[in-house]
Amino acid sequence: MAKWGQGDPRWIVEEREDGTNVNNWHWTERDATSWSKGKLQEMLVGIIVENEAGRCEISELKQVEGEASCSSRKGKLIFFYEWNIKLGWKGTLKESGVKHKGLIEIPNLSEENEVDDTEVNVSKKKGDGDILKDLMKTAGTAKVREALGDYLKALKTEFTTGMILPTKASSTQELTVKRKPSENTLQASSPVALGVRIPTVALHMTELFDTTVEQLYGIFTVKELVQKFSKSPAVLEAEKGGKFQMFDGNITGEYIELLKNRKIVMKWRCRNWPEEHYATVALNFVPTLGQTELQLDCKGVPVCKEENMKFCWQKQHFEEIKGLLQLPTLNG
């Protein structure tokens, strides 16, 4: 076993407030779902094809279901995307001016298939106008696949900006080339921890509960009560340095500070966060007239997980705890 400080530096995970992933070695992840939905709308809606018989245009993004994400590991980017897309199109016959409408369905856009092999199904409402349907099946399908290719290019370039930054080794080499020799050259050899900086945000939420400070504090520190509001097994060591695990292991962390009936501070992470990245969650219990105000302050939440974090606390904690407080046998 290596002595302290002598292990392989790639496996050393430092607890850094700036969230730096040293030398790009550890797993980081960004949720590209919301960004992708906007990009697919931008790329697909407005596509126009025409010939001597008619003109067709994709007029609406009717449905986009699925998800996308980008992860980095050991300096390499890994992409996951899976989409089910439905588009509305409309067309006009040039000779008669008659208008027709139809659908384009893309049932499985994913990394398992090449864009040129992606299934694109074109349909039209009943009636004449098959010539417009044929136009969409040929020229329209080609343009749709081209737009999907442009989306994937943007996902792999535009969206991933900043995920892979120069490593300590490459940065040192670059400095060696550009820096002129001087008496202070030895200072340049001191370690510089560079890597992927995880953008983070801070959250502040407050919620009123119709209960006492003592009871609300207990709901966060008593295993049986945590299991009741989370509706899942939990592991709790409610003491300084103690570990916790909730929601079937989706949330894990450690207690940093516990001031009974006043305050709880925790290291906190969700399973799908970048590896070894924790936020700091502080819960302050403030008694009010017949109620308790819970003040939540959270620092270090990955930007791409902000909405998920808000949902987790509002829906899975606050609302479930209020439901628990209405039970007649709360401590049963």
Side-chain angles (χ1 to χ4, degrees):
M1 182 178 291
K3 294 181 180 179
W4 179 261
Q6 295 181 0
D8 187 335
R10 297 174 302 179
W11 293 105
I12 297 173
V13 180
E14 300 174 272
E15 293 181 12
R16 300 172 58 95
E17 292 183 359
D18 61 6
T20 298
N21 182 5
V22 178
N23 287 337
N24 297 315
W25 186 258
H26 291 284
W27 185 278
T28 61
E29 181 179 9
R30 283 187 188 175
D31 185 352
T33 302
S34 179
W35 177 91
S36 291
K37 289 180 178 180
K39 185 61 68 172
L40 288 167
Q41 167 94 18
E42 175 189 331
M43 295 286 191
L44 292 167
V45 175
I47 288 177
I48 296 173
V49 290
E50 62 181 313
N51 58 16
E52 65 281 356
R55 180 181 186 275
C56 297
E57 177 183 356
I58 295 179
S59 57
E60 182 183 1
L61 180 62
K62 287 182 169 289
Q63 173 185 300
V64 54
E65 294 181 342
E67 58 182 322
S69 64
C70 176
S71 305
S72 67
R73 178 74 168 96
K74 300 181 183 179
K76 295 181 180 179
L77 293 175
I78 304 165
F79 296 91
F80 169 81
Y81 52 92
E82 189 171 36
W83 295 108
N84 182 343
I85 302 168
K86 289 184 181 179
L87 303 160
W89 65 270
K90 58 185 180 181
T92 305
L93 292 169
K94 289 185 177 179
E95 184 175 337
S96 64
V98 175
K99 299 181 183 297
H100 295 272
K101 293 182 178 181
L103 287 176
I104 296 175
E105 297 184 69
I106 306 163
N108 184 29
L109 173 65
S110 73
E111 73 279 1
E112 296 178 356
N113 304 306
E114 296 292 334
V115 172
D116 291 342
D117 298 327
T118 299
E119 185 178 355
V120 179
N121 300 318
V122 179
S123 61
K124 185 187 69 65
K125 292 186 176 180
K126 293 181 179 180
D128 296 331
D130 284 341
I131 195 169
L132 294 175
K133 178 182 174 182
D134 292 339
L135 176 60
M136 289 304 296
K137 287 181 71 173
T138 53
T141 294
K143 283 209 169 186
V144 165
R145 288 195 174 118
E146 181 182 342
L148 295 177
D150 290 340
Y151 153 68
L152 294 179
K153 288 178 185 176
L155 175 64
K156 295 175 181 180
T157 55
E158 177 184 329
F159 179 76
T160 59
T161 301
M163 286 196 73
I164 297 293
L165 297 179
T167 64
K168 179 168 62 177
S170 63
S171 296
T172 303
Q173 292 170 2
E174 185 177 350
L175 286 171
T176 303
V177 173
K178 292 184 177 181
R179 185 172 291 171
K180 295 180 181 180
S182 69
E183 295 179 359
N184 297 323
T185 304
L186 289 176
Q187 297 178 5
S189 63
S190 59
V192 180
L194 296 177
V196 175
R197 184 182 296 275
I198 301 170
T200 62
V201 294
L203 301 180
H204 177 74
M205 302 172 70
T206 60
E207 194 76 14
L208 279 174
F209 294 88
D210 293 326
T211 187
T212 62
V213 167
E214 292 78 8
Q215 189 171 51
L216 187 60
Y217 182 90
I219 287 175
F220 282 95
T221 54
V222 177
K223 176 181 176 180
E224 291 75 15
L225 297 179
V226 170
Q227 291 183 150
K228 281 186 177 181
F229 85 74
S230 66
K231 300 181 175 66
S232 61
V235 177
L236 249 71
E237 301 170 357
E239 58 186 31
K240 185 175 181 178
K243 309 293 185 181
F244 63 83
Q245 179 176 301
M246 299 184 291
F247 296 98
D248 293 322
N250 284 305
I251 294 174
T252 55
E254 178 182 326
Y255 292 102
I256 299 174
E257 181 183 5
L258 294 101
L259 299 177
K260 190 172 182 180
N261 302 330
R262 290 171 52 198
K263 186 176 184 178
I264 300 173
V265 182
M266 302 169 279
K267 281 176 60 178
W268 172 286
R269 65 172 272 106
C270 296
R271 178 181 286 168
N272 62 353
W273 283 12
E275 186 177 349
E276 298 299 332
H277 181 80
Y278 286 82
T280 301
V281 172
L283 300 176
N284 287 283
F285 301 81
V286 181
T288 61
L289 201 58
Q291 295 178 308
T292 299
E293 181 180 83
L294 182 64
Q295 299 174 351
L296 166 71
D297 287 289
C298 186
K299 297 178 181 179
V301 179
V303 170
C304 60
K305 302 298 182 183
E306 179 180 2
E307 294 305 316
N308 288 344
M309 189 67 163
K310 289 179 181 177
F311 177 88
C312 173
W313 279 97
Q314 188 62 51
K315 300 294 183 181
Q316 298 178 329
H317 284 76
F318 297 164
E319 292 186 12
E320 292 296 335
I321 288 172
K322 287 182 177 181
L324 176 63
L325 290 169
Q326 293 177 0
L327 296 178
T329 56
L330 173 57
N331 297 311

